[in-house]
Amino acid sequence: MAALGTARCLFRTYSRVKNVQKSKQILVRCSVRTLCSGTQDNALLDRTKPQFTDPAVQDILTRITGLDLQKVFRPIKQELKPPTYKLMTDEQLAQAVELATEQAKKLLQMPPVLPERKPINDVLSEDKILDGMDTAKYVFTDITYNIPHRERFIVVREPNGTLRKAKWEERDRLIQVYFPKDGRKLSAPLIFKEENLKMVFSQDRHEDVLDLCLVQFEPDSSDYIRVHAATYEDLDKHGKYELLRSTRHFGGMAWYLLSARRVDGLIVDMLKKELLHDAVSLVSLFHMVHPHSESAQEAASQQATGADLLKIYAQKESQRAGYIELALQAYQQMAAKSSAA
Amino acid sequence: MVHLSSLLLKKYHGGYVVIRLALAGHKQANRPFYRIVAAYNKRARDGKYIEQLGSYDPLPNIYNEKLVSFNFDRIKYWIGCGAHPTKPVAKLLGLAGFFPLHPMMITEAERRRALTELTATGAEDGLQEGQNVA
């Protein structure tokens, strides 16, 4: 009896399976949605000028960021734990310092600098028959777990019947709704408005603003780029490069100033702090990024190194040539005195 | 080889699997929120389901959007196992573009448009009458 029943079920399911396969094919044809990839433009740009992600560029930027252990591991707001004391020999202390430098290097990883993302304006279908079906839009998100967030399907059905892809801001908001990330809010915190940014800068808290911005926005969103640009401009205006010196944002700031060709303030600051090597590497990076400028061609022809590079740059490119030459002279006097004494 | 899952489903329950909307958070009055769910046909609407495949929030938010989420991978699996979607789920999937448009959606849109036209002409008539009286 049971065997008969099973056999009957098998028969029925077989026929259903055949129909299901046919309907599956129809479904596969219906769900036609491909996201266009805008990576081809980036590939073209990469070949012409050195980009932020080049290993040589990254190397120089990490060197000028510096590695001040005291500042990297300074106390941040954490849960209160009683401190642990360990008794170590000198060797063990050296090993612990090495481990600490490794961790500091990981903490100092630079956040990516990407060009601003282009807005999405794709319309998938225009159904005039659905016009006036509802007063609100319908937003459909695909919550399959194993797809990267960039490739998720998020579409919007407007009340007039058009089915379009969601814009970048809607995408960010919905991905935060369904896959919440630590520290990110659904609507941007009020600190990122212009007036509030000015107040925060007057309190010298650029680093906190940049950390918040990194958590809240995607690296290629317009808000991220706007906040970063405002921060770097303010730092440049007041010459407060020391605030970012041993943090992960220093490389980004250096890159922004290089692209805008306003590295004078930074070089002066470095010379005042007697970091000649950093200044030299910064100028060489400038020549790498802008190979057609006068100072780059001059330096290439003379094969200059060290302080000569700085002199060439001071003569050719900078607006504050006097400052840089004065600072160079002062540094050389200091070096001479210290070597004599 | 016959797909074993549909066979097992049939034998186990004598019913079939549906993909339908189940009301969630039933202790809150006047705030509906639906889960899109694969469940057996004969189970209670809000009772034990096999798997949750998404959500639907019928009340629009501050941006005037109704949020719907679908786990398309699993929906494809369940439809492959022989699950039947109900009318509202079929409508939502049609709006999303996954299914073809449901004929009732089109009828509803037409009816709404007729209604708005009626009210518009009704308002005009009312205005005219008001002007005539005054």
Side-chain angles (χ1 to χ4, degrees):
Chain A
M1 269 306 289
L4 253 181
T6 338
R8 225 184 296 146
C9 292
L10 260 174
F11 224 41
R12 249 179 265 156
T13 44
Y14 215 158
S15 51
R16 217 180 285 161
V17 157
K18 274 197 285 180
N19 295 339
V20 154
Q21 279 181 348
K22 269 192 217 155
S23 54
K24 236 184 173 173
Q25 282 172 355
I26 301 173
L27 280 175
V28 158
R29 259 182 268 142
C30 281
S31 60
V32 173
R33 254 181 278 136
T34 46
L35 270 174
C36 60
S37 55
T39 47
Q40 281 150 4
D41 307 309
N42 292 346
L44 283 171
L45 278 175
D46 275 330
R47 274 182 230 135
T48 48
K49 59 185 273 226
Q51 285 290 303
F52 188 69
T53 44
D54 283 349
V57 172
Q58 283 284 310
D59 197 37
I60 296 182
L61 285 175
T62 34
R63 248 188 296 145
I64 55 179
T65 310
L67 195 72
D68 186 8
L69 282 175
Q70 291 297 319
K71 189 169 175 192
V72 173
F73 289 117
R74 76 182 177 287
I76 44 173
K77 264 193 188 170
Q78 277 175 348
E79 302 172 21
L80 263 183
K81 276 184 295 189
T84 50
Y85 296 101
K86 289 187 192 160
L87 194 62
M88 292 188 190
T89 60
D90 278 333
E91 288 171 355
Q92 282 173 336
L93 185 64
Q95 276 174 3
V97 167
E98 257 185 59
L99 270 174
T101 36
E102 289 286 325
Q103 218 190 351
K105 273 188 204 145
K106 252 197 286 180
L107 282 177
L108 283 183
Q109 225 175 16
M110 277 181 260
V113 173
L114 300 165
E116 196 171 327
R117 56 193 179 190
K118 305 204 177 84
I120 315 178
N121 288 327
D122 260 344
V123 169
L124 295 168
S125 96
E126 307 230 3
D127 297 311
K128 292 285 162 52
I129 27 173
L130 280 184
D131 193 2
M133 52 144 205
D134 203 352
T135 44
K137 315 181 244 183
Y138 281 86
V139 180
F140 299 95
T141 327
D142 182 12
I143 39 177
T144 319
Y145 197 64
N146 293 333
I147 354 175
H149 287 315
R150 293 274 156 155
E151 293 167 25
R152 249 172 227 290
F153 289 131
I154 303 187
V155 290
V156 176
R157 175 78 77 169
E158 301 273 349
N160 66 355
T162 21
L163 185 66
R164 63 170 174 87
K165 286 193 192 161
K167 303 203 182 81
W168 281 114
E169 295 81 23
E170 292 170 353
R171 278 189 74 91
D172 284 338
R173 194 163 32 96
L174 283 162
I175 290 174
Q176 179 60 15
V177 165
Y178 291 114
F179 299 96
K181 197 168 152 189
D182 245 347
R184 229 179 241 211
K185 308 272 188 257
L186 276 180
S187 47
L190 295 171
I191 204 174
F192 294 119
K193 296 217 165 128
E194 295 293 332
E195 318 81 39
N196 302 336
L197 274 181
K198 280 186 212 153
M199 207 189 69
V200 166
F201 292 153
S202 63
Q203 289 179 357
D204 271 1
R205 295 176 65 187
H206 302 80
E207 206 186 317
D208 302 327
V209 164
L210 286 178
D211 285 334
L212 269 176
C213 178
L214 197 67
V215 164
Q216 176 71 28
F217 300 119
E218 295 277 310
D220 52 359
S221 67
S222 55
D223 278 320
Y224 179 95
I225 293 174
R226 176 182 58 89
V227 169
H228 275 256
T231 322
Y232 297 147
E233 294 285 327
D234 189 77
L235 280 173
D236 194 33
K237 212 173 24 158
H238 300 285
K240 294 181 192 165
Y241 309 103
E242 192 56 31
L243 286 170
L244 283 194
R245 181 133 267 148
S246 204
T247 60
R248 43 198 312 217
H249 307 287
F250 195 80
M253 182 177 76
W255 183 260
Y256 176 82
L257 293 172
L258 273 174
S259 323
R261 290 179 160 214
R262 278 186 284 134
V263 267
D264 303 328
L266 195 51
I267 293 185
V268 167
D269 186 66
M270 278 177 178
L271 287 172
K272 273 191 214 155
K273 302 253 164 46
E274 300 173 17
L275 299 160
L276 188 66
H277 297 289
D278 286 352
V280 166
S281 39
L282 187 62
V283 175
S284 55
L285 186 59
F286 180 85
H287 292 161
M288 255 203 285
V289 172
H290 299 282
H292 304 297
S293 63
E294 293 174 348
S295 63
Q297 286 162 348
E298 181 77 27
S301 59
Q302 286 187 12
Q303 299 282 313
T305 49
D308 300 329
L309 250 188
L310 280 170
K311 278 190 200 133
I312 297 172
Y313 174 76
Q315 282 157 12
K316 296 283 171 177
E317 270 291 330
S318 72
Q319 280 100 24
R320 289 189 265 178
Y323 257 173
I324 297 184
E325 288 183 357
L326 262 177
L328 248 181
Q329 278 175 2
Y331 176 78
Q332 276 162 347
Q333 279 172 358
M334 290 284 299
K337 259 191 238 170
S338 57
S339 58
Chain B
M1 162 93 173
V2 177
H3 212 352
L4 268 184
S5 1
S6 46
L7 176 65
L8 286 170
L9 301 173
K10 186 99 175 86
K11 279 309 292 173
Y12 177 64
H13 229 241
Y16 54 95
V17 176
V18 284
I19 304 178
R20 65 179 177 204
L21 300 175
L23 203 58
H26 47 268
K27 300 293 185 201
Q28 297 173 18
N30 293 324
R31 189 27 177 128
F33 181 83
Y34 297 99
R35 277 195 257 242
I36 299 167
V37 130
Y40 285 118
N41 179 36
K42 291 294 181 186
R43 280 267 184 200
R45 179 197 66 188
D46 303 338
K48 194 163 143 185
Y49 49 78
I50 310 178
E51 189 182 351
Q52 183 181 354
L53 304 168
S55 63
Y56 168 50
D57 181 8
L59 298 186
N61 63 7
I62 41 174
Y63 303 100
N64 200 24
E65 302 162 346
K66 295 189 183 175
L67 297 180
V68 186
S69 63
F70 287 118
N71 190 342
F72 285 121
D73 189 29
R74 295 303 295 169
I75 291 180
K76 281 188 229 174
Y77 169 76
W78 281 113
I79 294 184
C81 282
H84 299 253
T86 54
K87 200 166 75 168
V89 169
K91 281 187 186 171
L92 281 177
L93 285 169
L95 277 183
F98 194 63
F99 276 9
L101 281 186
H102 202 265
M104 280 313 288
M105 281 294 324
I106 307 177
T107 323
E108 243 180 60
E110 283 173 5
R111 284 178 187 165
R112 272 202 193 216
R113 257 176 285 162
L115 199 66
T116 44
E117 275 177 26
L118 255 182
T119 45
T121 47
E124 277 178 22
D125 287 337
L127 267 175
Q128 276 188 350
E129 278 182 22
Q131 280 180 352
N132 289 345
V133 164

